[in-house]
Every structure is written in structure tokens, then in C-alpha cells.
């Protein structure tokens, strides 16, 4: 806090003493090392040009950043740039007039913008149904499967590509004394990205992109239910460890060498290097071979930056310049290396590759490779309002499913019913 | 102070009658009248306090009531007037009902246990002669811990991987899974909340006990041999004003101030873990951005708390004797 305040004051002082510079603000929801990297990037931008001064401000977690952004907007105190996470995308994109689409902002400021420069998995998630970028993808991640190398050597098996392979090797890992797998945030891993990796429809109205009115969630289909029946069965047999909705509770067994595999974020890579005392590697998140057309790319996770409306033209120009700066290959590679989030443009990926980064750190390439896999009809993204609340419903039912209070089928029926009620409520918000 | 002051019962509750005395114009108090020569002066002194109440209570309350009749776009662009739909949605939801049930259970447990244990400790501490100061300081020190920190400390004990209490439960053959098992989490929530509140009750009870006059105690000693009877017949009635005050405060604590503890224990992802009504208001409003639904819930909560407070003053305060 003190540091940020000091930097802000320092920046303001230099700003006023040099000349009429334009100040812009950036509210984000990142902490720890990732928060420091945001300060470094802002400083790089401020040093790279002289017209604009960017001040980043941490607003807590993703959810807190979104709600403080909303509160600020309602009182006319919004920042120029607001970071919004994947699940909150529908909320901010539906509020037309709250933001200026990133693409309009950039072209309006006379900068170039090329959609095809972005890797395929990133292009649609924060875009409208015509493919126009509303949010500027920023920290992007994919769910990948980390594995403990020694555990696999001990069991004499290879890491699985598909869930069928997982079923075949998991008993050997259990035999070797490990919990074969744990996974954090099942909503993201086993529902949202179950849909994307297996090319399954997630919501009506083209996964929710075409309209808010009448969008319904689809989670009671045979395949989704099958995925959780398998998970429950694996949990009962000791092949899968479920430790509730908390991210860290499910990660800990992996860090302590008790579980052989952990499904987490590609952005967890940096942290894992510090917290694990053993050798680990990663493979893409498994899919079902038995499902036709499966093996598609995953949804992009993480967050995007939104340019808030109601700002002067000079400030918007600065925001546009910053967006362009962010997508430059050099900035992207810096961010990729510093945090473990994936580079979002093809050029940045090529640059990191040519620097030999992936020869040193093969794990860092898994996430981006997964996002560059072939796309399917349903792997572009989803757009559902009140989605954070739908996730809360899912988390509740997952706890009940794994404790045996409700069957998988009934649990998902509840998720679908309550999810649809929330979607219907959301449709009324824009009325 | 022999017998008569203890019998002074105020028929309609002390506070209410005091309020009435303050209001009624036919009992002029000339001594107080002359303090302000201009009628506006007292208002001037009241202004800061009134401003705080209006800005931080009445204004937000009015806003909450207004938005509870709408389903609103969080950014404030569109809204649909839905009448009482937000209320019926909340009140008919089985989820809301189970949260309300848990909140009631939680309040009873937290209030009962922290008052009971606080009183027990105070009575015992009152009797300690050697090392009394150290003993009291140790008991009071927990009060200096902020609720989120109390939650964090509690979670270190209850952690499902490394928590010593989890190990202890395993020793007795119970697989304690705070965060997964509903009642295990409830147990952790209640334990941490009670632990945090005991010192507060302890301080008040102890000072209450110390203000019981020695003469009364000695008189009681002649009348009754049994310590328990003396406690029930003499000490407890004399402690009643303190206990009543603490009851109101503890219910408020259990309903509202335990929020940070809950947030830490459920790691801001409640899943199927028990939460209280106020946590649900936060969850739907701030994490879910459902302003209308969340407002309706907070209005319901406001009504419940107001009703509860009136009930307490109406039925319980009658039995309280102010010395």
C-alpha cells in the first residue's frame, strides 16, 4: 500500500514537473508476485514513452476488483482500465456503455489492430459474437495437468493423454503409494474445460454469445454427467482426491508429494517451482477418446483488460497505446517468463521459442500448446450472466456429490435448474 | 444498599421509560432547560452524530429498500421493476431457508457458549487471589485479536492436511474435514467464533462481579451456605443488567461480526459449507453482482434484527433489575 502510494505520488510529481502528461489508471486483482509484475510492466510502459503515465492499483482479488470497478463506475470514479476475470466477462460485456470495445479504442486512436495476430484460443473469449475484441486479453492461462516425475518412474507408467489412459495407469500409481490425482477448481477444470476439451455445447444461444435472453446452461447431458460419475467412482476407489472448493487444499497433496498428478493453471508454474522440492512436468489436460470430436483446445482462463467509458480522448489514446504496448512480442515474452501466463500472440510465442525458453522450461509451453490445438464449434468460449453465482452453485453441489448426499445426475439437475433461474434473472438486468 | 434498590422494577423496561421521561413535556426539568438559551444549540451539538447516522445508516437503508424492488444491471444501465419478486425468490428458495436455519442455530450456539463460558471464567477468576492479574490478562488478551486473524489462527488448527485438531479428531477415530463436511465446518466456525468472543464477555462479567457490594455478599453468606445458591439468588440477579447487555451484543456479534471468520474458514468459496445470512448477502451482492437480490436479503435481515431487538427489550428487559 505504502509503496503504491509512494509510487503514485512520485509518478504524479514527475508527471507535473515534466510537462502536460496524461495520467491513466489501471485497477487489477492480482497479488503477490503477479502484482509486482504488473507494477514492472507499468513502469516499462511509462519509460517507453513520454506522453502517458500509467498507475496500477491493486483492488484485491478478481471478484473484488470487479465489484469495486462497478461501484466506482456508478459514482463516476471509474479507472481507465479494469481487469475482469473470465467468469465476470458476461457481466461487463453485457453492460454496453460501460466499456469501449478494445478493438474500437485501438483503431480509433489510429493504432493497428489485427485479430489474426492473436493465438486461436484467445480470439473469441472476450469478443462479441462477430469476433470484435471487447476486452483485451491480458493474463491468459489454461488448465494443465502437472505430474510428479518420480511417481511415474516408480509406478512405471507414462502420463495420460486421455481419461481412458488415466483409468489404465491410475491403479499402478495407487499401488506405488500415491493418490493418483487431485484437481483444483473443478468448475473450471471439469465443467467449463470439460466442455471445451471435448467440444461439447455449454449453453443455448451459441454458448450464450448470440443473446442474453433465453440463454440456458447445458450440464445434464450424458457426457457431463458421465465425467462426474467417473470422478466420484475414482474418488471412492482412492484414485482421485477431492478436498473441497479451496484451490490450495487440492494443491497441497501434490506439493507434498502425496498425489502424483494435479490439474491446475498453467499460471501456477512459477509458484510450483518454489513450493515443490521434486522434479515435475506437465501434459495437457486429458479428454475422452470415446467422445467424438474431442481433443479440442481449452477455453482461455485468467482475465482481460477493459477500457472503461467516460474518459477524455487523450486518456483513451493513452489506454490504446498501452494495449498496443502490452501485445508487443517483447512485453508478452517478459510477462510469460515472469508469471507463467501464456503469450497471447503468435509472434510472442515464436519469439519465446526462438530464445530457447521452452528448451529450458518445457512445462511453460504446455499451456500455450493446448490453447493452439484445433478449435471446435464449442471451444471458443461461453457467455453467461451471473456466472460467478452459477459457479457457487456448482461448488456447493460438488461437495454434496463427493460426500454422497446427492447423486451426480440429481446434483447436475439442481445446477441446471438454479443456473437457469440465475440466467433468467440476469436477462432482466438489461431490461 | 440493603434490600429496596433491588426491588426497583421498571414496568415497561428501563430504557423505554427513560425515553418517555425524556420526551414528555409535562415533566419539565428546569435544571436542564436553562443549559441552552437558544433552541438550536443542542441540535448543533447533535449534528455530527446525526450526520453519521443519516449518512451511514438511513441513506443506505433507503437505497437498499429501493433497489430491492428491481433487478438491476450492476453497472447501472438497465433495471427491471419486479415488485416483490426479489423477496419471494429469496424467501421461497430452499437454500435461503437452510442458511436462515443455520444462522439461527449458529447464533444460539455462539451466544450461549460464549456467554456461558465467559461467565464461568469470570466467576472463577473473581475468586483467584494469587496471580489474579496474570490470569485475567491471559484471558482478556484474545480480545485484541482481529476477527480475520482469529479465523486464520483457527484454520491453522483445523486445516485438513496439517491441522493439529484434525489429527486429534483422527486419534479419536473421526475424520475431521473442515471445508468438505457441513457439520465439521459448522463445528470449526462455532469454536473459532466462541473463542474470539469469550474475552469480551469475560471482561464485562468480571467487572459486573466486582461491583457486587461486599456487604451484600456477606449478608448472603449468612443466609445461605451453598455457593451455588448464593450465585443463583444474589450474584446472578445483580449481574442481570450486564448479562442482558451482553446478550444483545453477542447476538449482534454472531449475526454480523463473525463475517470475517466465516470468510476465512470457507476460503471465500462456501460450496456446501454453512454460512450465515449476512455472508449470503455479501456473496450474492459483491461476488455475484446481483444487487436487487442482495438488497432484498439485507432488508429482510434488517427487519429480523429490528424485530429481535424489540422482542428482547419487551420481554427480557422486564426481568432485569437495574440497581
Amino acid at each position: 500500500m505504502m509503496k503504491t502510494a509512494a509510487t503514485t505520488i512520485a509518478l504524479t510529481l514527475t508527471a507535473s514537473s515534466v510537462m502536460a502528461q496524461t495520467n491513466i489508471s489501471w485497477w487489477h486483482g492480482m497479488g503477490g508476485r503477479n502484482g509486482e509484475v504488473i507494477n514492472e510492466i507499468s513502469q516499462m510502459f511509462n519509460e517507453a514513452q513520454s506522453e502517458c503515465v500509467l498507475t496500477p492499483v491493486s483492488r484485491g482479488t478478481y471478484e473484488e476488483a470487479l465489484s469495486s470497478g462497478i461501484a466506482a463506475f456508478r459514482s463516476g470514479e471509474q479507472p481507465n482500465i479494469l481487469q475482469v476475470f473470465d467468469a465476470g466477462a458476461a457481466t461487463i460485456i453485457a453492460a454496453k456503455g460501460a466499456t469501449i470495445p478494445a478493438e474500437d479504442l485501438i483503431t480509433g486512436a489510429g493504432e493497428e489492430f489485427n485479430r489474426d495476430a492473436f493465438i486461436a484460443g484467445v480470439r473469441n473469449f472476450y469478443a462479441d459474437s462477430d469476433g470484435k475484441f471487447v476486452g483485451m486479453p491480458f493474463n491468459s492461462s489454461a488448465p494443465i495437468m502437472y505430474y510428479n516425475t518420480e511417481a511415474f518412474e516408480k509406478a512405471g507408467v507414462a502420463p495420460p493423454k486421455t481419461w481412458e489412459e488415466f483409468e489404465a495407469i491410475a491403479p499402478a500409481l495407487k499401488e506405488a503409494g500415491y493418490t493418483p490425482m487431485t484437481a483444483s477448481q473443478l468448475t473450471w477444470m471439469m465443467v467449463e474445460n470439460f466442455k471445451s476439451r471435448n467440444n461439447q455445447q455449454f449453453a443455448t444461444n451459441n454458448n450464450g454469445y448470440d443473446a442474453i435472453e433465453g440463454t440456458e446452461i447445458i450440464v445434464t447431458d450424458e457426457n457431463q454427467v458421465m465425467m462426474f460419475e467417473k470422478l466420484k467412482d475414482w474418488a471412492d476407489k482412492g484414485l482421485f482426491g477431492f478436498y473441497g472448493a479451496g484451490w490450495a487444499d487440492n494443491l497441497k497433496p501434490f506439493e507434498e508429494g502425496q498425489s502424483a498428478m494435479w490439474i491446475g493453471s498453467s499460471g501456477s508454474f512459477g509458484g510450483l517451482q518454489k513450493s515443490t522440492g521434486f522434479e515435475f512436468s506437465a501434459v495437457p489436460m486429458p479428454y475422452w477418446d470415446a467422445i467424438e470430436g474431442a481433443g479440442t483446445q481449452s477455453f482461455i482462463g485468467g482475465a482481460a483488460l477493459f477500457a472503461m467509458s467516460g474518459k477524455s480522448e487523450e486518456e483513451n489514446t493513452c489506454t490504446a497505446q498501452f494495449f498496443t504496448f502490452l501485445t508487443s512480442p517483447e512485453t508478452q515474452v517478459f510477462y510469460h517468463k515472469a508469471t507463467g501466463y501464456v503469450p497471447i500472440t503468435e509472434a510472442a510465442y515464436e519469439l519465446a521459442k526462438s530464445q530457447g525458453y521452452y528448451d529450458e522450461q518445457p512445462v511453460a509451453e504446455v499451456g500455450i500448446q493446448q490453447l493452439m490445438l484445433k478449435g471446435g464449434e464449442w471451444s471458443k468460449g461461453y457467455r453467461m450472466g451471473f456466472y460467478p453465482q452459477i459457479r457457487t452453485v456448482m461448488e456447493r453441489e460438488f461437495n454434496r456429490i463427493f460426500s454422497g448426499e446427492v447423486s451426480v445426475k440429481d446434483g447436475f439437475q439442481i445446477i441446471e435448474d438454479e443456473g437457469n433461474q440465475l440466467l433468467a434473472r440476469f436477462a432482466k438486468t438489461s431490461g | 444498599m440493603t434490600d429496596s434498590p433491588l426491588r426497583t422494577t421498571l414496568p415497561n423496561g428501563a430504557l423505554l421509560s427513560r425515553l418517555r421521561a425524556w420526551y414528555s413535556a409535562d415533566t419539565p426539568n428546569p435544571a436542564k432547560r436553562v443549559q441552552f438559551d437558544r433552541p438550536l444549540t443542542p441540535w448543533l451539538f447533535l449534528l455530527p452524530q446525526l450526520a453519521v447516522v443519516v449518512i451511514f445508516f438511513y441513506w443506505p437503508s433507503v437505497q437498499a429498500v429501493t433497489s430491492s424492488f428491481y433487478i438491476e444491471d450492476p453497472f447501472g444501465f438497465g433495471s427491471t421493476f419486479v415488485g416483490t419478486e426479489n423477496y419471494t425468490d429469496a424467501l421461497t428458495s430452499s437454500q435461503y431457508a437452510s442458511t436462515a436455519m443455520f444462522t439461527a442455530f449458529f447464533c444460539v450456539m455462539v451466544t450461549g457458549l460464549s456467554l456461558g463460558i465467559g461467565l464461568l471464567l469470570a466467576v472463577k477468576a473473581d475468586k483467584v487471589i494469587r496471580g489474579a492479574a496474570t490470569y485475567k490478562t491471559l484471558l482478556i488478551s484474545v480480545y485484541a485479536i482481529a476477527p480475520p486473524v482469529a479465523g486464520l489462527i483457527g484454520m491453522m488448527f483445523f486445516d485438513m492436511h496439517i491441522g493439529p485438531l484434525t489429527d486429534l479428531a483422527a486419534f479419536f477415530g473421526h475424520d475431521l474435514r473442515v471445508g468438505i463436511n457441513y457439520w465439521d465446518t459448522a463445528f470449526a466456525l462455532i469454536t473459532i467464533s466462541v473463542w474470539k468472543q469469550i474475552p469480551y464477555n469475560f471482561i464485562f462479567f468480571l467487572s459486573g462481579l466486582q461491583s457486587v457490594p461486599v456487604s451484600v455478599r456477606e449478608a448472603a453468606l449468612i443466609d445461605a451456605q451453598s455457593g451455588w445458591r448464593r450465585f443463583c439468588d444474589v450474584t446472578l440477579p445483580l449481574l442481570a443488567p450486564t448479562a442482558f447487555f451482553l446478550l444483545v451484543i453477542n447476538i449482534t456479534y454472531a449475526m454480523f461480526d463473525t463475517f470475517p471468520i466465516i470468510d476465512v474458514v470457507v476460503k471465500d468459496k462456501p460450496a456446501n459449507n454453512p454460512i450465515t445470512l449476512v455472508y449470503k448477502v455479501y456473496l450474492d451482492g459483491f461476488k455475484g453482482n446481483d444487487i436487487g437480490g442482495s438488497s432484498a436479503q439485507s432488508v429482510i435481515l434488517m427487519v429480523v434484527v429490528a424485530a429481535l431487538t424489540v422482542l428482547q427489550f419487551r420481554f427480557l428487559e422486564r426481568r432485569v433489575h437495574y440497581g
Side-chain angles (χ1 to χ4, degrees):
Chain A
M1 257 331 262
M2 281 305 285
K3 219 173 174 181
T4 326
T7 330
T8 319
I9 294 167
L11 285 174
T12 334
L13 285 178
T14 35
S16 48
S17 60
V18 179
M19 52 170 188
Q21 284 177 316
T22 310
N23 287 298
I24 55 171
S25 53
W26 174 14
W27 287 8
H28 62 83
M30 316 226 69
R33 175 69 193 132
N34 285 342
E36 288 168 23
V37 176
I38 284 195
N39 294 343
E40 285 164 27
I41 284 199
S42 310
Q43 208 177 342
M44 283 161 63
F45 173 68
N46 290 338
E47 281 163 9
Q49 43 74 47
S50 53
E51 295 98 54
C52 313
V53 178
L54 172 67
T55 311
V57 182
S58 168
R59 305 301 299 198
T61 63
Y62 280 151
E63 278 123 343
E64 286 160 358
L66 177 59
S67 44
S68 56
I70 288 172
F73 185 84
R74 292 175 71 112
S75 53
E77 304 280 331
Q78 70 272 29
N80 295 84
I81 303 166
L82 179 66
Q83 184 190 27
V84 179
F85 68 131
D86 52 0
T91 307
I92 188 156
I93 291 174
K96 289 195 174 62
T99 60
I100 308 170
E103 202 173 318
D104 293 347
L105 184 88
I106 292 169
T107 49
E111 311 249 348
E112 252 178 71
F113 187 84
N114 179 12
R115 290 177 194 174
D116 294 332
F118 292 84
I119 62 167
V122 171
R123 268 177 227 159
N124 292 290
F125 199 91
Y126 299 104
D128 64 15
S129 53
D130 300 328
K132 178 159 80 180
F133 277 48
V134 182
M136 190 71 194
F138 173 54
N139 56 319
S140 307
S141 54
I144 59 174
M145 187 184 246
Y146 294 91
Y147 65 92
N148 182 329
T149 320
E150 194 192 282
F152 277 77
E153 275 166 12
K154 247 196 225 168
V157 289
K161 277 193 207 63
T162 61
W163 288 119
E164 282 90 346
E165 285 178 24
F166 171 84
E167 285 191 298
I169 62 148
L173 288 163
K174 195 190 168 193
E175 197 84 344
Y178 293 92
T179 303
M181 177 179 75
T182 56
S184 289
Q185 210 183 338
L186 296 190
T187 50
W188 187 38
M189 310 301 179
M190 300 299 179
V191 180
E192 292 151 34
N193 280 303
F194 168 81
K195 295 289 186 183
S196 66
R197 286 291 276 145
N198 297 286
N199 198 22
Q200 301 282 304
Q201 189 173 1
F202 194 9
T204 59
N205 281 343
N206 184 24
N207 268 7
Y209 274 79
D210 290 347
I212 297 172
E213 200 78 40
T215 297
E216 294 198 324
I217 191 170
I218 303 169
V219 286
T220 49
D221 57 292
E222 180 189 8
N223 287 326
Q224 180 68 68
V225 171
M226 177 274 291
M227 179 78 240
F228 269 76
E229 276 173 349
K230 287 284 187 184
L231 283 171
K232 170 78 171 109
D233 183 44
W234 297 338
D236 292 343
K237 288 181 182 149
L239 303 178
F240 168 59
F242 174 76
Y243 298 96
W247 180 278
D249 289 333
N250 290 288
L251 164 61
K252 199 161 237 162
F254 182 74
E255 287 178 326
E256 292 184 340
Q258 288 161 6
S259 80
M261 288 177 267
W262 172 66
I263 305 184
S265 164
S266 58
S268 312
F269 173 52
L272 276 180
Q273 281 177 309
K274 281 187 198 149
S275 62
T276 56
F278 51 83
E279 211 177 297
F280 69 89
S281 188
V283 287
M285 164 142 177
Y287 58 92
W288 285 98
D289 203 27
I291 298 178
E292 217 186 302
T296 36
Q297 70 201 14
S298 57
F299 292 144
I300 177 185
L305 304 184
F306 288 83
M308 305 298 287
S309 63
K311 294 292 180 180
S312 73
E313 203 167 315
E314 293 85 53
E315 291 181 22
N316 287 341
T317 309
C318 280
T319 306
Q321 279 180 15
F322 175 61
F323 282 178
T324 311
F325 170 82
L326 257 190
T327 44
S328 75
E330 292 74 24
T331 318
Q332 280 296 312
V333 170
F334 164 79
Y335 191 64
H336 178 41
K337 287 183 182 172
T339 60
Y341 285 108
V342 300
I344 52 170
T345 61
E346 305 255 4
Y349 175 50
E350 290 304 325
L351 180 64
K353 215 196 285 188
S354 70
Q355 290 175 348
Y357 181 55
Y358 303 125
D359 299 329
E360 289 163 41
Q361 303 284 11
V363 179
E365 199 178 6
V366 176
I368 179 149
Q369 279 177 334
Q370 184 173 304
L371 286 170
M372 289 175 80
L373 286 171
K374 69 176 182 335
E377 195 183 355
W378 305 112
S379 69
K380 283 180 260 172
Y382 62 90
R383 181 77 33 90
M384 281 181 263
F386 284 155
Y387 194 72
Q389 291 199 76
I390 300 180
R391 270 189 177 169
T392 309
V393 174
M394 288 184 190
E395 283 158 2
R396 187 187 76 217
E397 292 308 312
F398 294 168
N399 265 26
R400 281 161 36 92
I401 285 171
F402 285 100
S403 67
E405 274 173 65
V406 69
S407 74
V408 176
K409 214 165 185 268
D410 294 346
F412 272 93
Q413 190 61 53
I414 295 170
I415 295 170
E416 189 159 294
D417 293 344
E418 288 191 26
N420 286 337
Q421 283 166 15
L422 285 165
L423 288 168
R425 276 182 72 82
F426 187 75
K428 288 185 192 164
T429 63
S430 50
Chain B
M1 212 187 194
T2 46
D3 59 335
S4 63
L6 299 181
R7 298 274 163 264
T8 329
T9 30
L10 297 169
N12 290 312
L15 191 83
L16 291 178
S17 59
R18 261 177 240 159
L19 276 176
R20 202 167 296 136
W22 182 70
Y23 257 116
S24 57
D26 54 2
T27 49
N29 191 337
K32 277 189 182 158
R33 274 269 171 94
V34 291
Q35 280 179 5
F36 299 112
D37 43 7
R38 264 173 258 200
L40 274 178
T41 324
W43 288 102
L44 200 66
F45 287 113
L46 276 174
L47 199 66
Q49 176 67 27
L50 285 177
V52 167
V53 173
V54 168
I55 294 172
F56 291 104
F57 182 70
Y58 288 111
W59 188 41
S61 306
V62 169
Q63 288 233 312
V65 173
T66 326
S67 30
S68 69
F69 294 109
Y70 289 87
I71 291 180
E72 199 176 344
D73 169 68
F75 284 89
F77 283 102
S79 62
T80 310
F81 180 79
V82 291
T84 54
E85 195 184 308
N86 285 328
Y87 290 94
T88 48
D89 272 4
L91 293 172
T92 55
S93 138
S94 64
Q95 199 51 40
Y96 190 81
S98 70
T99 307
M101 290 288 283
F102 177 76
T103 310
F105 171 73
F106 181 75
C107 280
V108 170
M109 292 303 282
V110 170
T111 309
L113 285 171
S114 52
L115 278 177
I117 300 173
L119 179 61
L120 181 72
L121 289 173
V123 169
K124 296 297 173 199
D126 195 34
K127 289 185 182 142
V128 173
I129 298 161
R130 199 184 307 169
T134 324
Y135 187 58
K136 285 168 196 167
T137 312
L138 278 176
L139 277 171
I140 292 168
S141 61
V142 181
Y143 188 60
I145 299 171
V149 182
L152 278 175
I153 296 174
M155 274 323 278
M156 271 154 53
F157 282 100
F158 282 109
D159 187 280
M160 65 177 104
H161 299 293
I162 54 162
L165 287 178
T166 308
D167 293 342
L168 185 73
F171 180 76
F172 289 105
H174 178 67
D175 186 14
L176 189 72
R177 309 252 276 174
V178 173
I180 300 180
N181 184 300
Y182 186 91
W183 289 109
D184 284 352
T185 311
F187 174 69
L189 283 178
I190 292 170
T191 310
I192 300 169
S193 307
V194 168
W195 172 66
K196 172 79 189 77
Q197 187 65 2
I198 287 171
Y200 185 84
N201 297 338
F202 172 77
I203 298 170
F204 277 90
F205 277 132
L206 189 64
S207 65
L209 282 170
Q210 285 171 352
S211 65
V212 175
V214 183
S215 55
V216 174
R217 291 188 191 210
E218 283 169 353
L221 199 58
I222 298 166
D223 283 345
Q225 281 256 294
S226 144
W228 174 246
R229 268 210 63 192
R230 285 201 307 275
F231 176 75
C232 292
D233 292 346
V234 179
T235 318
L236 208 54
L238 284 169
L239 272 181
T242 313
F244 177 69
F245 162 78
L246 285 177
L247 180 72
V248 177
I249 294 291
N250 275 266
I251 290 177
T252 321
Y253 164 77
M255 282 188 90
F256 297 100
D257 298 348
T258 49
F259 177 90
I261 295 175
I262 298 171
D263 194 46
V264 172
V265 170
V266 303
K267 291 157 182 140
D268 98 347
K269 284 190 191 305
N272 187 37
N273 292 301
I275 53 170
T276 57
L277 287 172
V278 72
Y279 195 81
K280 191 167 160 55
V281 169
Y282 158 77
L283 211 59
D284 290 356
F286 287 84
K287 293 188 74 179
N289 304 123
D290 181 0
I291 294 168
S294 171
S295 297
Q297 290 178 30
S298 72
V299 172
I300 296 173
L301 203 57
M302 212 146 62
V303 171
V304 168
V305 172
L308 208 61
T309 314
V310 168
L311 278 179
Q312 282 171 342
F313 275 92
R314 190 110 185 79
F315 293 108
L316 272 176
E317 216 204 15
R318 281 184 181 199
R319 297 165 183 270
V320 173
H321 312 275
Y322 290 92

